Amino acid sequence: VVVGGGPVGVTAALRGAEFGYSTILIDATPPRQFQFTGPTGLYSKALRDSALRLDVPVLRSMGIVDAAIWAQVNEFVQQILRKSGDNNMKALCLNNVPHLRGMGRLRPSDDVG
């Protein structure tokens, strides 16, 4: 059982499957967020990549306001996150790693039954 669908969790689940173990990935990402993207560095990399696509001084010289520029940056970031999540989902499916969206709680062994 792998808890957490961020970069480490996805990697652990895939490596477990690669070594022949039965793995399942449990992720508590809220339904409106992209699953299996993880916050660890991906958002900042997506933001950096998006910033490289835009020439802010040129856009401002064209009369485009900052709110519109930030909306475009946000759209680029969302595209990158969506693509990352889709790629991770495909890898999990190709490796037959089932996944659940939700939360669990570990209980002491004397509490089971």
Side-chain angles (χ1 to χ4, degrees):
V1 175
V2 178
V3 178
V8 174
V10 170
T11 300
L14 291 172
R15 291 289 286 179
E18 180 182 315
F19 287 120
Y21 294 102
S22 295
T23 59
I24 185 167
L25 182 62
I26 301 173
D27 181 44
T29 303
R32 293 180 184 221
Q33 290 182 7
F34 302 118
Q35 198 169 21
F36 308 127
T37 56
T40 311
L42 181 61
Y43 187 84
S44 61
K45 290 175 186 173
L47 186 59
R48 182 191 66 220
D49 185 61
S50 300
L52 293 173
R53 296 182 187 186
L54 296 173
D55 189 340
V56 175
V58 169
L59 294 173
R60 284 180 177 152
S61 73
M62 295 169 53
I64 299 174
V65 297
D66 286 350
I69 294 170
W70 277 109
Q72 186 64 50
V73 168
N74 184 52
E75 179 58 31
F76 284 149
V77 168
Q78 298 303 313
Q79 288 173 8
I80 292 167
L81 293 175
R82 188 177 301 113
K83 180 68 174 160
S84 172
D86 289 348
N87 288 344
N88 287 334
M89 179 69 82
K90 287 177 189 173
L92 291 168
C93 291
L94 285 172
N95 287 280
N96 298 313
V97 176
H99 55 278
L100 298 172
R101 188 181 288 226
M103 297 178 68
R105 181 172 25 135
L106 296 175
R107 299 180 355 188
S109 60
D110 61 341
D111 193 26
V112 177

